[in-house]
Amino acid sequence: MTGWIADHIIEIFGAVTGIIYVFLEIKQNIWLWPVGIATSATYIYVFRVNGFYADMLLQVYYLIISIYGWWAWRHGSVKTNDRKNDLKIKRLTIRTSVRISAVTLLIFALMWYVLDNFTDSPVPLWDAIITTLSVVATWMLTRKILEQWHVWIIANAIAIAVYVFKGMYPTVILFIVYFVMAVEGLREWKRDYYRNSFERQTNCDE
């Protein structure tokens, strides 16, 4: 057991920081972004060793988008004379949904083609799906779009099956936790969204 832990210590570290990341995400705590950077740096190595090249590139994307997300959450707020209103949770509009759907299909097609033809990925189709959904969901997170949780739930469910197939059990545990926390995150963000909507409506009525 001790030997197994020693062999997988980097993956275990990434799993732990990943769980902390999602917990902070649910709580809308801005410190999720630096924790996310640490998690991504760890999993760049983990996925490279296991041949998940799309997931490795995804972690590079996470590093970049985490820097942007950190900036967006810090500067996307509205300041007034007496208080600071943080970036609020929003819902997808029809226009944004169409654009995201088109971009999702484009990224998926490109990712699948590259993985299938230029890498030795053991599961190019599923690797491409997980990567594409994760890219889209992370961008939605930077804008605090509620529906990002739906995307994460789907992506995590697929990832669990794929990583079981690969025998990456610490990562399997991580993604099971991700799945459960995504369900809880959806519930909590919904409550917060409707609470804020009610408060805005009340203020308008006054």
Side-chain angles (χ1 to χ4, degrees):
M1 183 65 180
T2 303
W4 183 89
I5 293 175
D7 291 340
H8 294 82
I9 190 65
I10 296 177
E11 187 177 354
I12 292 170
F13 173 79
V16 172
T17 58
I19 291 171
I20 295 172
Y21 169 87
V22 178
F23 174 78
L24 294 174
E25 179 183 355
I26 292 174
K27 298 302 180 183
Q28 302 178 56
N29 188 311
I30 196 170
W31 286 102
L32 76 94
W33 298 113
V35 173
I37 290 172
T39 304
S40 298
T42 301
Y43 268 98
I44 287 174
Y45 171 81
V46 171
F47 285 129
R48 174 64 183 85
V49 169
N50 287 276
F52 280 77
Y53 302 108
D55 285 327
M56 181 187 71
L57 293 176
L58 176 61
Q59 299 304 318
V60 175
Y61 165 78
Y62 281 165
L63 281 173
I64 298 171
I65 202 68
S66 291
I67 295 172
Y68 168 72
W70 202 350
W71 178 88
W73 280 34
R74 286 182 64 86
H75 301 283
S77 56
V78 178
K79 294 182 179 179
T80 62
N81 292 330
D82 58 342
R83 64 177 181 173
K84 176 180 177 180
N85 295 319
D86 293 330
L87 186 67
K88 300 297 184 183
I89 297 171
K90 61 176 70 70
R91 302 297 300 266
L92 272 179
T93 63
I94 295 178
R95 170 186 263 181
T96 303
S97 298
V98 171
R99 289 178 176 176
I100 288 179
S101 298
V103 171
T104 299
L105 290 174
L106 179 62
I107 294 174
F108 167 70
L110 178 62
M111 191 68 63
W112 187 14
Y113 176 79
V114 170
L115 290 171
D116 195 35
N117 291 279
F118 300 103
T119 76
D120 59 352
S121 172
V123 284
L125 171 62
W126 299 109
D127 203 359
I129 291 174
I130 295 169
T131 301
T132 301
L133 293 177
S134 300
V135 165
V136 172
T138 305
W139 178 84
M140 293 169 70
L141 171 61
T142 67
R143 310 312 306 159
K144 278 197 176 180
I145 298 175
L146 174 66
E147 285 78 7
Q148 59 120 354
W149 291 112
H150 294 288
V151 181
W152 281 125
I153 289 170
I154 296 171
N156 292 334
I158 295 173
I160 290 168
V162 172
Y163 297 141
V164 166
F165 171 75
K166 278 290 291 181
M168 298 168 59
Y169 298 113
T171 303
V172 170
I173 294 172
L174 171 63
F175 275 83
I176 290 174
V177 174
Y178 277 175
F179 181 87
V180 173
M181 295 181 78
V183 173
E184 178 58 28
L186 176 61
R187 293 171 59 185
E188 186 158 331
W189 276 40
K190 271 187 176 180
R191 287 195 296 267
D192 191 57
Y193 173 79
Y194 288 117
R195 181 170 59 248
N196 290 333
S197 297
F198 176 77
E199 290 175 355
R200 287 195 296 269
Q201 183 63 44
T202 302
N203 293 334
C204 289
D205 291 341
E206 292 176 354

